[in-house]
Amino acid sequence: MRTKTKILGIETSCDETAAAVVENGNRIISNVVASQIDIHARYGGVVPEVASRQHLLTVIPVIRQAMTGISWQDINGIAVTFGPGLAGSLLVGVNVAKAIALAKNLPLTGVNHLEAHIYANWLAHSAESSLSTGEETVRVNCEVQFPCLCLVVSGGHSDLVLMKGHGQFEKLGRTRDDAAGEAFDKAARILGLGYPGGPAIEHAACSGTPCLPLPRAWLKRSHDFSFSGLKTALWHLAHKGGVSVADAAASFQLAVADVLVAKTIEAAKQLKVEQILLSGGVAANKTLTQQFLANSPVPVIIPPSHLCTDNAAMVAACGYYHFEAGRISGYDLDVAPDLSLG
Ligand code: KG4
Ligand code: ZN
């Protein structure tokens, strides 16, 4: 690899069409995200067929925009998300990436979307992120140190993963039912708030207090999570009537944060990791991040909000380390909608 390696990342696994160019795995040159949220909001969730058709319409303009001012000759490789995600959506990104790789004679690498979320933490230090020493929160340029404990909390996954080095993941825990983001989305629907649920709950919670009794599934002696009981308890509370939506949102948000923070910190102590790395859309939640920063005995790296939710810069960053390790995909790269991590 040359001293300055630029990777084009492409992401179409769910409802964001995204392309980005990242240099040396950590410096964002361009980062374009075309969100389909407005289109899916009227249905209250992502409609897979609509998502893939929308990716078809936007993927080329989004890549063109990400390549503005950059010559193809300066691109050293293409990284594309090949799973997990919606099959029809993944197919658009994978096929466009293959076509460009062939036409421009560039190496291609297929990237696991969950692994990519974790790599947003490498971009974090070029984008000013939060690092906590446990006593105070400071803004610094922080480098990731191994071994680290990664909490990936997105719309489809809640995984606790030990990362010992680049590409070395050991899954310790996962959700046994709803993912954390999915729980936020369902809770927002119960409370009559908008889609996506995470930002809607967070916004509503600002004017409430977490005063309502909601359960926490601790699942002792396991690193797994469970959020469906909490969702059901919220449903019962909401249907009893007389409950403030703002208080319900604040109470729900705190219940999710309590469990994610306590279980992750407990695992971090057990495993004696150097750092905790947060990622995925739910990591954009300020109650969650503040609790981590206030309680963790080890530094916590948190990507800025726009790098927590789906984007292609994280795919390009992850792809850089694939290329470094010689992990190159062939033109037979296929989508893997059920791909997992570790
Ligand atoms: O990582 P992501 O953009 O896409 C997936 O890979 O799923 O995560 C989307 C999820 C949604 O469930 C959304 O409600 C949640 O992340 N989310 C949040 C916040 N922003 C997005 N959850 C809590 N608080 C937020 N501020
Ligand atoms: Zn995601």
Side-chain angles (χ1 to χ4, degrees), residues 1 12 42 64 90 199 244 255 295:
M1 284 261 160
T12 64
R42 73 185 82 143
R64 280 219 170 98
L90 289 164
S244 133
N295 294 297

Side-chain angles (χ1 to χ4, degrees), residues 16 113 117 153-156 181-182 184-185 196-199 202 253 280-282 284-286 308-310:
E16 326 277 0
H113 180 78
H117 267 303
V153 269
S154 68
E182 185 183 358
F184 268 98
D185 294 335
E202 183 165 28
Q253 179 174 261
V282 180
N285 187 280
K286 294 289 167 279
C308 289
T309 48
D310 287 351

